[in-house]
Amino acid sequence: MSSSTVASTLADLTRRLTAGPTHPEKHFVRTKMAYADLYRMAAHILRDLGDEKVVCLGTDDRATVSAAILAALAGGPRLILPYALTPSVLEEIRGLTGYACAITAGEDLPDSGVRRFVPQSEVAEWPCDPSPTPVDMDGPWIDLFTGGSTGTPRSWPKTVRNLLAETLNIVETYGVTDTDCIVSTASPLHIYGLLYGILAALAASATITPGTPSFPVEIEKEVLQHRATMLISLPAHYRALTAHAGKKLPVRLAFSSAGMLEQADAEAFGARNQVGVNEVYGSTETGGVASRNRFLGETDFTTFRPVTVKRVDENLWVRSDFLSPNLPLDAAGYYAIGDRAVFTAPDRFMLTGRSDSVVKVGGKRVDLAEVRDRILQHDGVSEALVTALPVGRARENLIVAVVEGAVDGDELNARLETALEPYARPRRIKIVNKIPITAAGKYDRRQIEMFFKES
């Protein structure tokens, strides 16, 4: 598809979304809210917050998030999406952005100095006065925040082009239609949950379900109760489903992102439900890069049609309309992802590890991914995270590991003594029932670091 065709398609989608609902009486949130009511909520935001420059989303309620997104697209305030809704995160992001207003679904806010706005579906009509004016295609629309590897919030601005180009790719690649009903266990404040669980539904006039289930029984109930056709979930939730002797889920599409899905979990889901999991590779800053479906025999990743990749010194670089505008690019518009890869075809690749997974310990190179692999070979280990913590002010690293499973620490240490060089062995190992993760499905770095501050 040529760039001019893409621009035209994006403009058409933007006009269609801001013109009002295609099917006003159709459910947007199954059993809870029609599309007409959703747009009335967006009209209320436009009417009362139209003069605000930036507004934080203080809720992960799907209807409220969707209404705010539509209002922002139609010329309303730019949105801040925090990576968590805890008081500390909201206050930290407020310190970085200075937002003075937050949209909620009735939740309290930690800072009494922030205006709380709860949009309603009974006080305004769409189109409102003044008429909606879509924001510029390459202007600011949404700022997504992530915790980062250090736990410090980092902003990733996204334009209309960034998010709607990727939304169109999802709808077209997977054939999402107005007959689909989407269950998402991923938060709509995370780019993956936002794109696959909200924007794809709006673009296709599909239906979403109201809950954000996380436990296997909850996921199963949400899918069966609402006759869902699509499941948007996280690796940790697929792992939980693997251990759950539940019913077959009658979905036609399943997706996983926000981390690598273990092969055993992908195979177990496919065997039980006779539908494979589409594993989406990408990040908040890059958007989706490629996907694979191991139920279909795919072991390597195939890049999405609007995306191009290249390999420089074993490292993967990407170019697409999905890239956040604040990323450093080379002269040809490519961004270095930070993963090593081997190409199996011009548009297909296998990942071979993180570029930044190699650290120096006592002047020696240690590949943290290799250390993790050795730990995973020990009986009883179900998951492991190996990381390097800085030691004092020196440019030195302390290798530590958090291990999930029924494991004897002394036996694990004894095994690692024979499997790894002395400088590559974790100096501290914390054995837990479950490695802590954030609402976005990623490891909670702050909590993990606290393990070793306490020991």
Side-chain angles (χ1 to χ4, degrees), residues 101-357:
C101 179
I103 295 173
T104 81
E107 300 94 336
D108 291 329
L109 295 173
D111 190 337
S112 59
V114 175
R115 176 190 176 190
R116 186 184 72 161
F117 183 82
V118 182
Q120 306 294 322
S121 59
E122 302 89 9
V123 298
E125 292 292 333
W126 191 285
C128 50
D129 186 23
S131 297
T133 303
V135 296
D136 181 76
M137 198 71 65
D138 295 303
W141 182 20
I142 293 173
D143 286 339
L144 288 144
F145 273 82
T146 60
S149 58
T150 63
T152 303
R154 184 166 185 182
S155 170
W156 299 108
K158 291 290 182 177
T159 66
V160 175
R161 185 182 306 279
N162 292 155
L163 292 174
L164 290 192
E166 186 163 4
T167 299
L168 279 172
N169 175 66
I170 294 166
V171 171
E172 293 173 357
T173 300
Y174 298 106
V176 185
T177 73
D178 61 3
T179 64
D180 280 309
C181 178
I182 302 172
V183 166
S184 178
T185 75
S187 168
L189 302 180
H190 180 267
I191 189 170
Y192 167 56
L194 173 66
L195 284 163
Y196 285 76
I198 299 293
L199 290 175
L202 290 172
S205 296
T207 299
I208 64 173
T209 67
T212 305
S214 57
F215 295 106
V217 173
E218 296 173 341
I219 296 171
E220 181 181 282
K221 180 180 178 181
E222 191 87 354
V223 170
L224 295 176
Q225 178 180 343
H226 298 288
R227 303 183 301 280
T229 59
M230 293 172 57
L231 175 63
I232 315 302
S233 198
L234 304 167
H237 297 159
Y238 281 109
R239 184 182 309 148
L241 285 171
T242 298
H244 173 64
K247 299 177 181 178
K248 178 182 177 181
L249 302 180
V251 295
R252 72 176 189 88
L253 288 167
F255 296 89
S256 178
S257 192
M260 285 298 165
L261 180 65
E262 293 293 334
Q263 182 172 346
D265 297 330
E267 292 175 349
F269 186 89
R272 176 178 295 174
N273 302 293
Q274 291 303 297
V275 62
V277 180
N278 295 288
E279 301 172 50
V280 181
Y281 166 69
S283 65
T284 302
E285 58 269 34
T286 65
V289 175
S291 69
R292 70 178 174 188
N293 188 322
R294 283 186 274 200
F295 186 67
L296 301 179
E298 299 169 359
T299 56
D300 52 358
F301 286 91
T302 300
T303 57
F304 290 118
R305 188 172 57 179
V307 177
T308 55
V309 291
K310 68 178 181 180
R311 185 168 170 261
V312 179
D313 297 329
E314 297 187 0
N315 296 325
L316 192 65
W317 292 63
V318 60
R319 181 177 67 189
S320 79
D321 280 340
F322 312 161
L323 299 178
S324 290
N326 60 338
L327 289 175
L329 308 179
D330 70 5
Y334 284 85
Y335 168 69
I337 291 182
D339 284 324
R340 301 195 305 270
V342 173
F343 276 69
T344 55
D347 61 345
R348 295 168 64 180
F349 57 86
M350 297 280 289
L351 295 171
T352 58
R354 287 286 298 172
S355 319
D356 54 6
S357 71

Side-chain angles (χ1 to χ4, degrees), residues 35-111:
Y35 266 91
D37 294 322
L38 174 70
Y39 273 82
R40 291 187 187 107
M41 285 181 69
H44 186 200
I45 295 170
L46 273 177
R47 192 192 72 178
D48 287 23
L49 298 183
D51 294 333
E52 295 281 352
K53 297 297 183 184
V54 60
V55 171
C56 179
L57 278 175
T59 182
D60 56 6
D61 175 74
R62 297 183 182 282
T64 307
V65 170
S66 302
I69 287 168
L70 287 171
L73 181 63
R78 190 168 84 250
L79 296 180
I80 293 171
L81 273 60
Y83 65 93
L85 294 174
T86 61
S88 60
V89 169
L90 290 173
E91 290 172 5
E92 198 168 15
I93 292 177
R94 189 189 180 197
L96 294 171
T97 64
Y99 72 82
C101 179
I103 295 173
T104 81
E107 300 94 336
D108 291 329
L109 295 173
D111 190 337

